[in-house]
Amino acid sequence: MTPPTPRHRARRPARPPLLPTLTLLLVGVFATSQAQPTEDTRARFAKLEAQGIAVGQITLSINNIFDTSKPGENKRLYRFANRIHVTTRPSAIRSQLLFEPGDPIVAQNIEESERLLRSNPFIFDASIQVLRIEDGRADLLVETRDNWTLFPELALSRSGGETRWTLGLEEDNILGTGSAVTVSRRRDDDRSSTNFAFSDRNVGRSWIALDLRYRDSDDGEARRFRVAQPFYSLQSRVSAGFDVFTEDREEPLFSRGSEVGRFRQDQRGLNAWWGVSNGLVDGWTTRYRFGVVVNDNQFDVPEEEPPTPLIPADRDLRYPFVSVERVEDRFEKVQNFNQIMQTEDLFLGRSYSLSLGYAGTSIGADRSAFIVNAAGTTNYGNPSEALLTLSGRLSGRLESGTVRNGRARIDARYVRRQSARRSAFVGTRIEFGKNLDVDRPIILGGRTGLRGYDRAFGNGDASALFTVEQRFFTDWFPWRLFRVGGAVFADVGRTWGEDVTGREDSRWLADVGIGLRLGNARGNNNTVFHLDVAKPLESGPDIDSGLQVSFEAKRGF
């Protein structure tokens, strides 16, 4: 039901300029990327590829967590950790290589195999080298180093005015097989829950991935079963999958950071697809997918809650879809970009995708609608000097000639390398909405980048966020476990349009702060722990003017 509209509406502030911003995005996505990868693994193996050399014997060197040949790591505690750690099985490594003995050497396959290995949470780093060349064959050495993968989940954090804690156990490499399992108990402002998850990206040493999840919370349950063979490489030709999920929960609605109502959501979903690709051709991979989606959302007033006009309208969308995706083969190995003193595989090319579906009452949907999803990314520059990344997303439904739940988001990220230990970061995010579903407002707050304010302080149908950071990467390596970095930052943002109560907030909000960054040098190498202290620069009865302290694990700096 549509919330009541105030009788006297204030003059609406001007929104951010939509047309110039979208024009900038489209020019960026389809223009020629200027980022150039450095000559590394591919350059070395390209010479062998040109000579028609084949793959000979493949030797694996799977190293333990700590290198005890180094004086700083030859300690009793580290030797004990190596002894009790089960190193990754050779079969788990071989199953992710894109080549076998006897195959002709293809430099792109060698380079991408390194990336696939490094993308595992249980592998710290990976490299592929030539041992010897004899009789037209090159014997290869695949060398990896393991991460520590058994972690107690002990977390207490506060961000955006919300306190959260987690107690659990996580193992990312069960007995060296590459499978992962997590059992945890979590608490935040919305719910308490017991969680279980199991995943394996190479079931039976195949490219079939399995993902199982279950959550039992004080406001409902969630279940998910997903099995798929993804497009695991740029050369992959076939993909297929099946994803089914159910979830019921209670969700809050916010106005200026305060909860103004709750609704209960019962969701049932299915996504099944089949995809084909012609592989990598002239530096590009094109992928086509065909499938069907079922997404049934039923909403109601929670028990013991008073009736409210803010309950979202039910949605039952069932539709076939077709999609196309294009990805450019441009990557570079870097350090001190999003991680601290770790090898990163940075995407420097362009990618874009488009998905179209049609829901009709004749196939069980509660309405007729065209469903559109589109995305694009491009990069300019070089990470050793300066790199600009532009990305955008567009989604929505066209119902009876009207756009419903239309969303457009544009992100710009600029990183300027000042030295090997310092970089400057500038980020911009602009988001627009049209006829948004009540349960899908555009939110701005502590959870979405405005670090000095409550988690959902502002919401409406448009937002803008600007962030500036001075980043520091040190060579401090305490206990040989964490890499240390830091940041000084400022955030500025605001929302436009009415929230669920019909209120508008025309204020620009700003904060400043400092942060400590801890790179996980022995665990999941995509994780950086953030300890941020932010001070809001605006004041008012609805603003907590004290320091906002947060400690969270994120996927980058």
Side-chain angles (χ1 to χ4, degrees), residues 243-551:
D243 186 6
V244 60
F245 60 91
T246 65
E247 183 175 15
D248 57 279
R249 66 184 187 275
E250 292 182 12
E251 288 292 330
L253 294 167
F254 293 95
S255 177
R256 299 187 183 180
S258 299
E259 185 176 319
V260 294
R262 299 182 74 86
F263 62 86
R264 186 166 191 85
Q265 181 176 11
D266 187 356
Q267 185 177 24
R268 301 290 183 269
L270 165 71
N271 188 356
W273 73 93
W274 175 73
V276 293
S277 171
N278 58 355
L280 189 62
V281 179
D282 296 329
W284 285 86
T285 290
T286 304
R287 297 162 173 167
Y288 303 93
R289 291 181 179 89
F290 312 89
V292 61
V293 170
V294 175
N295 196 341
D296 182 11
N297 290 268
Q298 305 294 318
F299 301 92
D300 203 349
V301 179
E303 295 181 4
E304 301 179 358
E305 290 280 334
T308 172
L310 304 179
I311 300 299
D314 293 343
R315 295 190 304 273
D316 189 357
L317 299 174
R318 302 165 187 240
Y319 57 92
F321 73 88
V322 58
S323 70
V324 60
E325 176 188 22
R326 280 178 58 80
V327 182
E328 188 178 16
D329 180 24
R330 285 180 178 269
F331 295 84
E332 183 174 341
K333 291 194 294 187
V334 299
Q335 282 192 341
N336 286 348
F337 197 86
N338 291 316
Q339 307 291 327
I340 307 174
M341 294 299 295
Q342 293 188 8
T343 302
E344 305 173 49
D345 294 297
L346 198 62
F347 177 63
L348 297 181
R350 292 166 290 171
S351 69
Y352 47 89
S353 63
L354 174 65
S355 174
L356 298 174
Y358 178 74
T361 56
S362 61
I363 54 177
D366 64 356
R367 70 197 72 192
S368 296
F370 289 97
I371 294 94
V372 179
N373 290 277
T377 299
T378 192
N379 293 274
Y380 296 92
N382 193 300
S384 62
E385 298 176 356
L387 183 68
L388 172 65
T389 300
L390 298 176
S391 61
R393 297 201 304 258
L394 179 69
S395 64
R397 308 187 302 269
L398 182 63
E399 302 176 8
S400 302
T402 301
V403 174
R404 299 289 181 185
N405 200 44
R407 308 174 76 95
R409 172 169 164 169
I410 301 163
D411 290 88
R413 298 169 59 87
Y414 177 78
V415 177
R416 178 76 180 181
R417 183 66 63 92
Q418 298 162 316
S419 71
R421 301 292 184 184
R422 292 187 299 114
S423 65
F425 169 84
V426 179
T428 301
R429 184 181 75 229
I430 300 175
E431 193 166 5
F432 308 89
K434 183 175 179 61
N435 294 325
L436 294 173
D437 296 330
V438 175
D439 57 308
R440 299 288 310 281
I442 291 176
I443 293 175
L444 187 62
R447 270 194 180 180
T448 53
L450 201 59
R451 287 167 277 193
Y453 298 84
D454 287 340
R455 59 171 175 160
F457 188 86
N459 58 80
D461 56 22
S463 72
L465 176 69
F466 307 95
T467 296
V468 178
E469 282 190 358
Q470 176 65 59
R471 297 176 171 180
F472 304 92
F473 304 84
T474 77
D475 57 4
W476 188 22
F477 198 7
W479 307 295
R480 314 292 291 183
L481 298 176
F482 298 100
R483 295 287 188 176
V484 180
V488 179
F489 60 83
D491 308 312
V492 179
R494 62 158 294 179
T495 58
W496 285 262
E498 299 174 353
D499 63 22
V500 293
T501 66
R503 302 166 67 184
E504 294 192 40
D505 195 338
S506 61
R507 293 174 295 181
W508 283 93
L509 304 174
D511 62 60
V512 295
I514 58 174
L516 176 68
R517 304 289 181 262
L518 299 176
N520 191 357
R522 303 298 177 182
N524 189 328
N525 52 333
N526 290 323
T527 301
V528 177
F529 297 101
H530 287 227
L531 175 61
D532 287 328
V533 180
K535 170 68 175 177
L537 299 183
E538 293 292 324
S539 60
D542 54 353
I543 296 176
D544 181 357
S545 60
L547 296 178
Q548 296 289 319
V549 181
S550 66
F551 182 73

Side-chain angles (χ1 to χ4, degrees), residues 79 101 109 137 163 190 201 231 340 349 351 400 495 540:
R79 293 194 299 270
N109 286 344
R137 289 177 173 255
T163 301
D190 295 330
R201 61 187 281 181
F231 287 115
I340 307 174
S351 69
S400 302
T495 58

